[in-house]
Short mmCIF file of all heavy atoms in Angstrom, two decimals:
data_model
loop_
_atom_site.label_atom_id
_atom_site.label_comp_id
_atom_site.label_asym_id
_atom_site.label_seq_id
_atom_site.Cartn_x
_atom_site.Cartn_y
_atom_site.Cartn_z
N ALA A 534 -34.40 43.24 -68.76
CA ALA A 534 -35.16 42.25 -69.52
C ALA A 534 -36.27 42.92 -70.34
O ALA A 534 -36.57 42.50 -71.45
CB ALA A 534 -35.75 41.20 -68.58
N ASP A 535 -36.86 44.01 -69.80
CA ASP A 535 -37.91 44.72 -70.55
C ASP A 535 -37.35 45.35 -71.82
O ASP A 535 -37.99 45.33 -72.87
CB ASP A 535 -38.53 45.80 -69.66
CG ASP A 535 -39.31 45.19 -68.50
OD1 ASP A 535 -39.68 44.01 -68.61
OD2 ASP A 535 -39.53 45.90 -67.50
N LYS A 536 -36.15 45.89 -71.73
CA LYS A 536 -35.54 46.47 -72.94
C LYS A 536 -35.25 45.39 -73.97
O LYS A 536 -35.39 45.60 -75.17
CB LYS A 536 -34.25 47.20 -72.56
CG LYS A 536 -34.47 48.38 -71.63
CD LYS A 536 -33.13 49.03 -71.27
CE LYS A 536 -33.36 50.18 -70.32
NZ LYS A 536 -32.07 50.82 -69.92
N LEU A 537 -34.83 44.21 -73.50
CA LEU A 537 -34.52 43.12 -74.42
C LEU A 537 -35.78 42.60 -75.09
O LEU A 537 -35.79 42.28 -76.28
CB LEU A 537 -33.80 42.01 -73.67
CG LEU A 537 -33.24 40.86 -74.50
CD1 LEU A 537 -32.19 41.39 -75.48
CD2 LEU A 537 -32.62 39.80 -73.62
N GLN A 538 -36.90 42.52 -74.33
CA GLN A 538 -38.14 42.01 -74.90
C GLN A 538 -38.75 42.98 -75.91
O GLN A 538 -39.52 42.57 -76.78
CB GLN A 538 -39.14 41.72 -73.79
CG GLN A 538 -38.77 40.50 -72.96
CD GLN A 538 -39.75 40.26 -71.83
OE1 GLN A 538 -40.70 41.01 -71.68
NE2 GLN A 538 -39.52 39.22 -71.06
N SER A 539 -38.41 44.27 -75.80
CA SER A 539 -38.92 45.22 -76.79
C SER A 539 -38.26 45.00 -78.15
O SER A 539 -38.82 45.36 -79.18
CB SER A 539 -38.65 46.66 -76.33
OG SER A 539 -37.25 46.89 -76.22
N ILE A 540 -37.07 44.39 -78.14
CA ILE A 540 -36.39 44.08 -79.40
C ILE A 540 -36.75 42.68 -79.87
O ILE A 540 -37.07 42.46 -81.03
CB ILE A 540 -34.86 44.21 -79.22
CG1 ILE A 540 -34.52 45.62 -78.72
CG2 ILE A 540 -34.12 43.90 -80.49
CD1 ILE A 540 -33.07 45.78 -78.33
N ILE A 541 -36.70 41.71 -78.95
CA ILE A 541 -37.02 40.32 -79.28
C ILE A 541 -38.31 39.97 -78.55
O ILE A 541 -38.35 39.98 -77.31
CB ILE A 541 -35.88 39.38 -78.84
CG1 ILE A 541 -34.55 39.84 -79.47
CG2 ILE A 541 -36.17 37.94 -79.22
CD1 ILE A 541 -33.35 39.07 -78.99
N PRO A 542 -39.41 39.67 -79.27
CA PRO A 542 -40.70 39.43 -78.60
C PRO A 542 -40.65 38.27 -77.61
O PRO A 542 -41.19 38.35 -76.52
CB PRO A 542 -41.65 39.13 -79.76
CG PRO A 542 -40.99 39.72 -80.96
CD PRO A 542 -39.52 39.60 -80.72
N THR A 543 -39.99 37.17 -77.96
CA THR A 543 -39.98 35.99 -77.11
C THR A 543 -38.54 35.65 -76.77
O THR A 543 -37.73 35.42 -77.67
CB THR A 543 -40.65 34.80 -77.80
OG1 THR A 543 -41.96 35.18 -78.17
CG2 THR A 543 -40.69 33.60 -76.86
N VAL A 544 -38.24 35.64 -75.50
CA VAL A 544 -36.90 35.31 -75.04
C VAL A 544 -36.99 34.04 -74.21
O VAL A 544 -37.65 34.02 -73.18
CB VAL A 544 -36.28 36.45 -74.21
CG1 VAL A 544 -34.90 36.05 -73.73
CG2 VAL A 544 -36.22 37.72 -75.03
N VAL A 545 -36.35 32.97 -74.67
CA VAL A 545 -36.36 31.70 -73.97
C VAL A 545 -34.93 31.43 -73.50
O VAL A 545 -34.03 31.28 -74.33
CB VAL A 545 -36.85 30.55 -74.87
CG1 VAL A 545 -36.80 29.24 -74.11
CG2 VAL A 545 -38.24 30.86 -75.37
N VAL A 546 -34.74 31.42 -72.20
CA VAL A 546 -33.41 31.17 -71.62
C VAL A 546 -33.51 29.91 -70.78
O VAL A 546 -34.26 29.87 -69.79
CB VAL A 546 -32.93 32.35 -70.76
CG1 VAL A 546 -31.58 32.03 -70.14
CG2 VAL A 546 -32.84 33.61 -71.61
N VAL A 547 -32.79 28.88 -71.18
CA VAL A 547 -32.78 27.62 -70.43
C VAL A 547 -31.71 27.73 -69.34
O VAL A 547 -30.53 27.89 -69.63
CB VAL A 547 -32.47 26.44 -71.37
CG1 VAL A 547 -32.47 25.14 -70.59
CG2 VAL A 547 -33.49 26.40 -72.50
N THR A 548 -32.14 27.68 -68.09
CA THR A 548 -31.22 27.86 -66.98
C THR A 548 -31.04 26.61 -66.13
O THR A 548 -30.24 26.60 -65.22
CB THR A 548 -31.70 28.99 -66.06
OG1 THR A 548 -33.01 28.64 -65.58
CG2 THR A 548 -31.78 30.29 -66.82
N LYS A 549 -31.81 25.56 -66.42
CA LYS A 549 -31.75 24.36 -65.57
C LYS A 549 -30.38 23.70 -65.63
O LYS A 549 -29.77 23.41 -64.60
CB LYS A 549 -32.82 23.36 -66.02
CG LYS A 549 -32.79 22.07 -65.24
CD LYS A 549 -33.96 21.98 -64.33
CE LYS A 549 -33.97 20.66 -63.59
NZ LYS A 549 -34.75 20.74 -62.37
N SER A 550 -29.85 23.50 -66.83
CA SER A 550 -28.56 22.82 -66.97
C SER A 550 -27.45 23.77 -67.39
O SER A 550 -26.40 23.33 -67.80
CB SER A 550 -28.68 21.70 -68.02
OG SER A 550 -29.09 22.22 -69.27
N GLY A 551 -27.70 25.07 -67.32
CA GLY A 551 -26.69 26.04 -67.68
C GLY A 551 -26.97 26.67 -69.03
O GLY A 551 -27.41 26.00 -69.96
N TYR A 552 -26.73 27.96 -69.12
CA TYR A 552 -26.97 28.70 -70.36
C TYR A 552 -25.62 29.07 -70.96
O TYR A 552 -24.83 29.78 -70.36
CB TYR A 552 -27.80 29.95 -70.08
CG TYR A 552 -28.08 30.78 -71.30
CD1 TYR A 552 -28.85 30.28 -72.34
CD2 TYR A 552 -27.57 32.07 -71.41
CE1 TYR A 552 -29.11 31.03 -73.46
CE2 TYR A 552 -27.83 32.83 -72.54
CZ TYR A 552 -28.61 32.32 -73.55
OH TYR A 552 -28.86 33.07 -74.67
N LYS A 553 -25.35 28.56 -72.16
CA LYS A 553 -24.05 28.76 -72.79
C LYS A 553 -23.97 30.17 -73.38
O LYS A 553 -24.85 30.58 -74.14
CB LYS A 553 -23.82 27.72 -73.89
CG LYS A 553 -23.77 26.29 -73.36
CD LYS A 553 -23.43 25.31 -74.46
CE LYS A 553 -23.45 23.88 -73.95
NZ LYS A 553 -22.46 23.66 -72.90
N THR A 554 -22.93 30.88 -73.03
CA THR A 554 -22.71 32.23 -73.53
C THR A 554 -21.41 32.36 -74.31
O THR A 554 -21.16 33.41 -74.89
CB THR A 554 -22.68 33.23 -72.36
OG1 THR A 554 -21.62 32.86 -71.46
CG2 THR A 554 -23.99 33.23 -71.61
N ARG A 555 -20.57 31.33 -74.31
CA ARG A 555 -19.29 31.42 -75.01
C ARG A 555 -19.51 31.29 -76.51
O ARG A 555 -20.19 30.37 -76.97
CB ARG A 555 -18.34 30.33 -74.50
CG ARG A 555 -16.90 30.51 -74.99
CD ARG A 555 -15.98 29.58 -74.24
NE ARG A 555 -16.07 29.81 -72.81
CZ ARG A 555 -15.42 30.77 -72.17
NH1 ARG A 555 -14.64 31.59 -72.85
NH2 ARG A 555 -15.54 30.91 -70.88
N ARG A 556 -18.90 32.20 -77.26
CA ARG A 556 -19.09 32.22 -78.71
C ARG A 556 -18.29 31.09 -79.37
O ARG A 556 -17.19 30.77 -78.95
CB ARG A 556 -18.67 33.56 -79.28
CG ARG A 556 -17.22 33.91 -79.00
CD ARG A 556 -16.91 35.33 -79.43
NE ARG A 556 -15.49 35.63 -79.21
CZ ARG A 556 -14.95 36.81 -79.44
NH1 ARG A 556 -15.69 37.80 -79.87
NH2 ARG A 556 -13.66 37.01 -79.23
N ARG A 557 -18.87 30.51 -80.41
CA ARG A 557 -18.21 29.45 -81.15
C ARG A 557 -17.54 29.97 -82.42
O ARG A 557 -16.62 29.35 -82.94
CB ARG A 557 -19.21 28.35 -81.52
CG ARG A 557 -19.77 27.62 -80.31
CD ARG A 557 -20.65 26.47 -80.73
NE ARG A 557 -21.18 25.73 -79.58
CZ ARG A 557 -21.95 24.66 -79.67
NH1 ARG A 557 -22.31 24.21 -80.87
NH2 ARG A 557 -22.38 24.05 -78.59
N HIS A 558 -18.01 31.08 -82.93
CA HIS A 558 -17.44 31.68 -84.13
C HIS A 558 -16.71 32.96 -83.73
O HIS A 558 -17.01 33.58 -82.70
CB HIS A 558 -18.53 31.97 -85.16
CG HIS A 558 -19.35 30.77 -85.51
ND1 HIS A 558 -18.87 29.76 -86.32
CD2 HIS A 558 -20.60 30.40 -85.15
CE1 HIS A 558 -19.80 28.83 -86.45
NE2 HIS A 558 -20.87 29.19 -85.74
N ASN A 559 -15.78 33.38 -84.54
CA ASN A 559 -15.02 34.59 -84.29
C ASN A 559 -14.34 34.53 -82.93
O ASN A 559 -14.43 35.44 -82.10
CB ASN A 559 -15.92 35.83 -84.38
CG ASN A 559 -15.11 37.12 -84.39
OD1 ASN A 559 -13.93 37.10 -84.72
ND2 ASN A 559 -15.74 38.21 -84.01
N VAL A 560 -13.63 33.43 -82.67
CA VAL A 560 -12.97 33.23 -81.39
C VAL A 560 -11.72 34.10 -81.32
O VAL A 560 -11.25 34.65 -82.32
CB VAL A 560 -12.60 31.74 -81.20
CG1 VAL A 560 -13.84 30.89 -81.13
CG2 VAL A 560 -11.68 31.27 -82.30
N ASN A 561 -11.17 34.21 -80.12
CA ASN A 561 -9.99 35.03 -79.89
C ASN A 561 -8.79 34.38 -80.58
O ASN A 561 -8.37 33.28 -80.21
CB ASN A 561 -9.74 35.20 -78.40
CG ASN A 561 -8.72 36.27 -78.10
OD1 ASN A 561 -8.06 36.79 -79.00
ND2 ASN A 561 -8.60 36.62 -76.83
#
Side-chain angles (χ1 to χ4, degrees):
D535 293 339
K536 297 179 181 179
L537 188 61
Q538 288 178 0
S539 63
I540 303 172
I541 305 174
T543 304
V544 179
V545 178
V546 178
V547 180
T548 59
K549 178 108 177 158
S550 59
Y552 180 64
K553 297 185 183 298
T554 59
R555 190 169 303 278
R556 59 187 182 183
R557 295 185 179 182
H558 305 285
N559 191 21
V560 296
N561 192 351

